Structure formats: structure tokens, C-alpha cells
Amino acid sequence: FRSRKTGTIFNSVMSFLEQLAAARQNVKHVEVNKPKTPALEDVTAIQDKSLDINIEKWIDELQEHTFETQFFSLSIEDGQFFIDAYDELVLKKKSMLSPELEAKKQQLVERLSLTIEFVKGDA
């Protein structure tokens, strides 16, 4: 048993599905072109341009007008530590770092402490 309202809704849905099926027949396949990989010269030009604004290029000009500056280098392994620590503490919601990551953190803290002590004049 179908009421008029149910029949009307059913007919509307069927009509919509038929229109959808008809429209699907007219869909054209479109290929998406991947962006070109920039040439090495382009990458080098971009890097040179961005290096011009890095602090290493202009810190000497400001040295007498600003506080003592000491650079602290981070290696690829240091960067990987930050990624792994984020993964454990944020994504996996662990309350503590694994012993291996804790050891890496301590090494990083010790290196950073030496830099801070140097800047403070304690070294």
C-alpha cells in the first residue's frame, strides 16, 4: 500500500535517479596534467633568492644594535626527532617519550644548553 504522498516522493526520487544516470552518460573524461618539476636552475634561483633574506646574510649589519646572537644547527636526525616525538606525544597520545626518543631529547637539550650558556657568557 502506498499513499499518494509516498508515491509522489518515490516518483520524484526515481526521476532524480534517472536524471542522474542520464547525466552520468554525458560526463567526459578529463586528464589532469601534473605540474612540471622545476628545472634545477629554477630551484637554485629560488633558493638563492630566499637565502638573501636569511638572518645569516644580514646579522653582521645589526650586530652592534642587537643582543648577542648564536646560531644552533639542527641536523636531519634532529628534525626526525621532532617528527617522531610529535607522532608519539600528539598523534598516538602517549604521555611519555619512548626511552630511545627521551635519550635523543636529552642530547638535544644538552647541545642547546651549551649554546645558551655561551650566549649568557657562562661557558
Side-chain angles (χ1 to χ4, degrees):
F1 167 74
R2 264 193 225 163
S3 70
R4 254 185 227 199
K5 189 174 186 180
T6 306
T8 304
I9 293 172
F10 178 78
N11 289 337
S12 294
V13 169
M14 290 306 293
S15 174
F16 173 72
L17 291 175
E18 287 169 0
Q19 290 173 11
L20 204 58
R24 188 175 190 185
Q25 298 297 322
N26 296 328
V27 172
K28 295 178 184 175
H29 177 72
V30 177
E31 277 197 41
V32 177
N33 294 327
K34 293 181 182 178
K36 293 180 182 178
T37 304
L40 184 57
E41 298 81 23
D42 295 336
V43 172
T44 304
I46 292 168
Q47 288 175 338
D48 287 344
K49 192 172 200 172
S50 66
L51 287 176
D52 288 343
I53 61 171
N54 284 354
I55 191 170
E56 295 91 348
K57 292 282 190 176
W58 50 265
I59 190 63
D60 291 338
E61 302 296 323
L62 294 178
Q63 195 101 23
E64 65 184 82
H65 306 288
T66 188
F67 52 88
E68 175 73 26
T69 302
Q70 182 70 33
F71 294 102
F72 181 77
S73 297
L74 292 173
S75 66
I76 292 173
E77 291 79 20
D78 295 332
Q80 189 62 52
F81 160 76
F82 287 110
I83 293 168
D84 295 342
Y86 178 85
D87 184 53
E88 278 196 14
L89 298 175
V90 177
L91 299 180
K92 294 180 181 172
K93 300 183 190 289
K94 293 186 178 181
S95 60
M96 294 174 45
L97 292 172
S98 67
E100 177 187 351
L101 287 178
E102 185 62 39
K104 288 180 181 180
K105 180 186 95 174
Q106 284 307 113
Q107 292 172 350
L108 192 58
V109 167
E110 288 171 15
R111 283 182 31 229
L112 183 56
S113 295
L114 290 173
T115 303
I116 292 171
E117 288 173 14
F118 178 82
V119 171
K120 286 174 43 180
D122 296 343

